[in-house]
C-alpha cells in the first residue's frame, strides 16, 4: 500500500518574509544563512507538516511499519515516527558528507577534509580554511544541539503530545540511526572514512530514466550541429531576476556565440532583444537535455542535483555560485578540471565570454568531464540498487544494531579518548615537573659545594 502526502508550500511564506531576489543571497554569510533560512525554514516546514490535516489523520491510524525513512535536513521532530512505530530509522541526505551527518551516526568529523557544505572558503585545506571550518562547525553544533533541537522537541510536545513524554531525546534517537544514505560518491566528492551504516548513493535520481525529450526539443537539439549551451540556475534562483545590466552582458555574449544554440531556463514570458540563437522556456526537462550529445556546456549555479546530472553525462560547466553548497560543489569540479567558476560579481561581457570560450575551445574540459562521468558510473551496482539493497538489509536484520558505531553508547570524552589522553598528559607533566625539581636541587647542591670550595681556597 502506498500513500503520498505532499506538503507543498513555499518556504518564504512560512518564515514570514517576502521571497527575496535569491541573487542577493550571494552576500549572505553561512551564519546568516543558517539563522534566516535553514533554521527558520526547518522549523516552519516541520510545523507545517505536523499541523497538516492529512498528516494528522494518517498518524491517528493504526499503521505498522518495518522501517521509517526520514530526510536529515532540519526536521528532527519527524524522527519520533520511528519511535512511534517501533521501527528502525534510516536517514537520507540530499547532500554529501558533512558535520551534521557525521555527528548523527558518530562518524569521525574529519574537519581537515570535510568542509561544511555552506562555507565558501577558497582554500579549504589551508590553515585559515581549516580554522574557519572548525569555528563554523562549533557555531553550528552548539546552536543546533542546545537551541534548534529544543525547538524541534517543542513541536513534538505540541503536535504529538501522546508520545512526547516517553520519546528519547532527539540526540539519542539520531545516534540510534540504522542506516544513513548520503548523496555523494567518492569518484567525485572527497574520499572520507565512513562507517558501514553510511552508504553513498550519489546520483540516485539518475539510475532510472526512461523519459525522452519532447519532439520539438529533440529536433532543436538534433539540428544544433555546432553545439548547444544550456543555462539554468535551478528552481530557487530565478534567472529572470538577474539584474538588467548582467542580463545585457549575457545577451551580448550570446550574440558573439552565434553558431551555438543556447537554451536558457527563463521564468518570464518577456525577453527583450532576444538573439535568434537563444531559446528560453520557463522549464526544461534538464535531465533529458543533458543526455543529448550536442550539449557542449552547462552554465549552472552549482546546485548538487544539476551538478550530478552534468557529471553523469560528462558535461563541462561554467559555475556561478549563488548560495548554500553551490560554491563547494563547483570548487570540487573546478579542481577536477571540468569546470570554471565565475563569481557573480565578476560577470560582465568579457569575463563571461572568456570563461565560456575557454571551455568551448579547449578539449581538455570535455575530456575530463567524460572521464569523471565514467568513474561516477563505475560501481558494482547502480546508486538506486545500492539504496534498495541496504534498506532491505536493515529491515531483514531488524535495524542491524551491529552496524552502528559502538562509540555512540560512550561519553563524548571516552569515545574521543580524552580521558586517556588527559591522564597521559597529566602523568607526563608530573614526571617533567619532578625531573625539573630534581635537576634544580642537584644543580644548586653542586654550586653550593663549589662556593664552599672557593671560599675554602680564599681562606687558605
Ligand atoms: C494549523 O492548521 C490550522 C488549520 O488546519 C490553522 O488554522 C493554524 O493556523 C495552523 N497553525 C499553525 C501554527 O500553523
Ligand atoms: C534503537 O534502534 C533499535 C532498532 O534498530 C531499537 O530496537 C531500539 O529500541 C532503539 N533504541 C532507542 C533508544 O531508541
Amino acid at each position: 500500500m502506498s500513500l503520498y502526502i505532499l506538503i507543498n508550500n513555499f518556504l518564504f511564506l512560512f518564515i514570514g518574509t517576502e521571497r527575496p531576489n535569491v541573487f542577493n543571497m550571494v552576500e549572505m554569510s553561512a551564519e546568516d544563512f543558517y539563522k534566516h533560512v535553514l533554521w527558520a525554514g526547518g522549523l516552519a516546514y516541520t510545523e507545517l507538516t505536523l499541523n497538516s490535516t492529512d498528516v494528522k489523520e494518517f498518524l491517528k491510524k493504526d499503521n505498522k511499519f518495518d522501517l521509517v525513512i526520514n530526510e536529515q535536513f532540519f526536521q528532527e521532530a519527524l524522527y519520533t515516527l520511528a519511535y512511534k512505530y517501533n521501527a528502525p530509522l534510516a536517514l537520507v541526505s540530499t547532500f554529501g558528507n558533512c558535520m551534521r551527518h557525521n555527528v548523527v551516526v558518530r562518524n569521525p568529523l574529519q574537519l581537515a577534509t570535510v568542509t561544511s557544505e555552506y562555507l565558501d572558503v577558497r582554500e579549504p585545506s589551508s590553515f585559515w580554511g581549516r580554522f574557519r571550518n572548525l569555528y563554523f562547525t562549533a557555531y553550528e553544533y552548539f546552536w543546533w544541539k542546545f537551541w534548534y533541537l529544543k525547538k524541534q522537541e517543542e513541536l513534538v510536545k505540541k503536535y504529538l503530545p501522546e508520545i512526547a513524554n516517553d520519546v528519547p531525546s532527539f540526540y539519542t534517537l539520531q545516534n540510534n540511526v540504522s542506516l544513513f544514505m548520503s548523496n555523494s560518491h567518492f569518484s567525485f566528492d572527497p574520499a572520507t572514512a565512513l562507517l558501514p551504516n553510511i552508504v553513498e548513493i550519489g546520483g540516485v535520481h539518475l539510475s532510472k530514466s526512461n523519459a525522452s525529450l519532447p519532439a520539438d526539443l529533440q529536433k532543436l537539439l538534433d539540428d544544433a550541429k555546432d553545439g548547444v549551451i544550456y543555462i539554468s540556475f535551478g528552481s530557487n534562483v530565478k534567472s529572470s531576476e538577474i539584474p538588467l545590466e548582467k542580463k545585457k552582458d549575457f545577451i551580448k555574449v550570446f550574440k558573439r556565440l552565434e553558431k551555438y544554440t543556447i537554451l536558457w531556463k527563463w521564468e518570464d514570458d518577456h525577453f527583450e532583444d532576444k538573439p535568434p540563437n537563444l531559446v528560453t522556456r520557463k522549464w526544461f526537462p534538464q535531465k533529458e537535455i543533458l543526455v543529448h550529445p550536442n550539449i557542449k556546456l552547462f552554465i549552472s549555479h552549482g546546485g548538487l542535483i544539476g551538478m550530478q546530472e552534468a557529471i553523469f553525462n560528462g558535461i563541462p560547466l561554467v559555475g556561478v555560485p549563488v548560495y548554500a553548497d553551490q560554491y563547494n560543489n563547483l570548487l570540487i569540479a573546478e579542481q577536477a578540471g571540468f569546470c570554471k567558476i565565475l563569481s557573480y560579481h565578476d560577470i560582465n561581457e568579457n569575463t563571461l565570454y572568456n570563461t565560456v570560450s575557454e571551455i568551448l575551445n579547449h578539449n581538455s574540459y570535455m575530456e575530463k568531464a567524460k572521464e569523471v562521468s565514467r568513474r561516477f558510473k563505475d560501481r558494482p551496482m547502480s546508486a538506486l540498487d545500492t539504496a534498495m539493497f541496504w534498506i532491505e538489509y536493515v529491515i531483514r536484520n531488524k535495524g542491524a544494531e551491529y552496524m552502528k558505531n559502538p562509540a555512540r553508547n560512550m561519553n563524548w570524552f571516552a569515545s574521543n579518548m580524552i580521558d586517556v589522553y588527559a591522564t597521559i598528559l597529566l602523568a607526563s607533566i608530573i614526571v617533567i615537573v619532578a625531573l625539573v625539581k630534581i635537576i634544580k636541587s642537584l644543580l644548586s647542591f653542586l654550586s653550593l659545594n663549589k662556593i664552599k670550595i672557593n671560599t675554602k681556597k680564599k681562606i687558605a
Side-chain angles (χ1 to χ4, degrees):
M1 183 203 72
S2 78
L3 171 74
Y4 183 64
I5 304 177
L6 180 66
I7 307 294
N8 190 9
N9 236 311
F10 202 69
L11 172 69
F12 295 100
L13 282 180
F14 289 92
I15 49 183
T17 59
E18 294 261 302
R19 181 183 188 284
N21 180 331
V22 183
F23 280 106
N24 293 334
M25 285 162 92
V26 172
E27 321 290 348
M28 221 180 213
S29 71
E31 284 83 353
D32 280 345
F33 187 68
Y34 267 74
K35 217 158 64 194
H36 299 304
V37 180
L38 294 178
W39 285 328
L43 288 172
Y45 262 128
T46 312
E47 175 141 30
L48 184 68
T49 306
L50 291 172
N51 189 34
S52 131
T53 321
D54 291 338
V55 171
K56 282 177 175 164
E57 283 301 311
F58 172 76
L59 291 178
K60 269 188 218 145
K61 290 187 193 128
D62 186 24
N63 287 309
K64 299 241 178 318
F65 292 102
D66 296 317
L67 182 74
V68 169
I69 303 180
N70 258 212
E71 190 183 348
Q72 204 260 7
F73 199 66
F74 306 98
Q75 80 279 39
E76 289 83 351
L78 302 179
Y79 300 171
T80 44
L81 298 191
Y83 174 82
K84 179 179 162 69
Y85 295 115
N86 194 18
L89 177 63
L91 296 181
V92 58
S93 167
T94 55
F95 288 96
N97 197 12
C98 73
M99 180 278 278
R100 287 191 309 282
H101 307 163
N102 287 332
V103 163
V104 164
V105 283
R106 288 288 181 101
N107 197 54
L109 284 179
Q110 305 166 79
L111 292 180
T113 50
V114 178
T115 310
S116 170
E117 69 277 29
Y118 294 113
L119 282 185
D120 53 351
V121 284
R122 310 283 131 161
E123 287 175 68
S125 58
S126 67
F127 176 81
W128 285 113
R130 286 175 293 122
F131 196 90
R132 175 82 177 105
N133 195 30
L134 175 66
Y135 167 78
F136 186 72
T137 299
Y139 170 89
E140 182 188 355
Y141 178 77
F142 287 107
W143 277 98
W144 170 72
K145 183 163 181 198
F146 297 108
W147 176 76
Y148 191 75
L149 283 186
K150 300 281 172 279
K151 292 271 177 208
Q152 288 279 330
E153 277 169 15
E154 282 168 21
L155 289 177
V156 172
K157 287 206 182 85
K158 185 165 167 193
Y159 291 100
L160 298 164
E162 64 287 359
I163 55 171
N165 288 333
D166 306 324
V167 71
S169 82
F170 291 172
Y171 205 71
T172 315
L173 273 186
Q174 62 179 18
N175 275 181
N176 196 30
V177 156
S178 290
L179 177 65
F180 194 102
M181 291 173 281
S182 165
N183 190 14
S184 58
H185 194 258
F186 59 84
S187 58
F188 172 69
D189 298 280
T192 56
L194 298 175
L195 285 162
N197 63 346
I198 305 181
V199 295
E200 293 197 297
I201 57 162
V204 69
H205 75 295
L206 292 161
S207 299
K208 266 191 190 152
S209 178
N210 35 26
S212 54
L213 280 171
D216 58 334
L217 279 175
Q218 183 73 46
K219 179 164 178 357
L220 188 79
L221 290 171
D222 288 346
D223 290 348
K225 298 282 180 244
D226 287 315
V228 179
I229 299 172
Y230 173 67
I231 308 174
S232 166
F233 291 103
S235 43
N236 288 327
V237 188
K238 295 203 163 127
S239 296
S240 57
E241 286 178 351
I242 201 166
L244 188 61
E245 70 278 18
K246 291 218 191 303
K247 178 188 172 189
K248 284 183 179 159
D249 291 331
F250 271 93
I251 293 173
K252 283 183 206 147
V253 172
F254 297 160
K255 286 183 177 163
R256 288 166 74 179
L257 296 166
E258 58 185 349
K259 70 172 181 161
Y260 294 96
T261 299
I262 292 160
L263 307 184
W264 194 356
K265 178 177 168 288
W266 184 269
E267 302 80 3
D268 201 339
D269 292 323
H270 303 285
F271 197 105
E272 268 164 48
D273 192 21
K274 193 187 216 168
N277 60 337
L278 174 64
V279 178
T280 62
R281 299 248 171 115
K282 287 186 184 169
W283 186 82
F284 280 112
Q286 173 168 302
K287 211 165 90 173
E288 287 73 36
I289 282 184
L290 293 176
V291 177
H292 199 282
N294 286 348
I295 300 284
K296 296 284 179 259
L297 172 68
F298 178 15
I299 301 182
S300 163
H301 64 316
L304 186 61
I305 302 298
M307 294 269 310
Q308 287 177 338
E309 288 165 2
I311 291 166
F312 195 80
N313 294 301
I315 311 289
L317 293 149
V318 166
V320 182
V322 180
Y323 69 105
D325 59 326
Q326 296 158 6
Y327 179 79
N328 281 324
N329 299 335
L330 292 166
L331 187 64
I332 300 173
E334 187 172 75
Q335 284 165 350
F338 64 96
C339 169
K340 281 255 155 219
I341 295 179
L342 178 59
S343 284
Y344 173 73
H345 289 298
D346 293 345
I347 295 177
N348 59 43
E349 185 190 343
N350 280 334
T351 53
L352 185 61
Y353 182 78
N354 291 343
T355 317
V356 168
S357 307
E358 164 73 21
I359 292 196
L360 292 175
N361 299 336
H362 295 92
N363 253 340
S364 68
Y365 294 96
M366 183 59 94
E367 280 163 12
K368 204 66 200 178
K370 296 289 177 220
E371 183 191 323
V372 174
S373 164
R374 266 193 306 278
R375 67 189 197 214
F376 192 70
K377 294 178 189 167
D378 193 355
R379 314 183 193 189
M381 50 184 172
S382 75
L384 186 59
D385 287 340
T386 307
M388 292 319 295
F389 173 84
W390 287 107
I391 287 171
E392 287 170 2
Y393 181 94
V394 164
I395 296 174
R396 259 199 315 275
N397 293 292
K398 313 242 170 323
E401 278 299 299
Y402 51 87
M403 279 216 293
K404 302 175 185 174
N405 190 349
R408 74 190 204 286
N409 299 321
M410 298 165 104
N411 267 324
W412 68 269
F413 57 81
S415 67
N416 288 301
M417 296 287 284
I418 302 226
D419 48 352
V420 176
Y421 296 148
T423 309
I424 294 175
L425 188 69
L426 198 70
S428 315
I429 292 173
I430 291 172
V431 170
I432 291 170
V433 169
L435 276 178
V436 169
K437 282 235 159 101
I438 293 171
I439 292 171
K440 261 196 184 157
S441 47
L442 264 180
L443 284 180
S444 60
F445 176 73
L446 285 179
S447 55
L448 214 67
N449 278 350
K450 246 191 206 156
I451 293 168
K452 271 186 194 154
I453 294 166
N454 282 344
T455 40
K456 267 183 198 160
K457 267 185 192 159
K458 267 186 197 156
I459 294 166

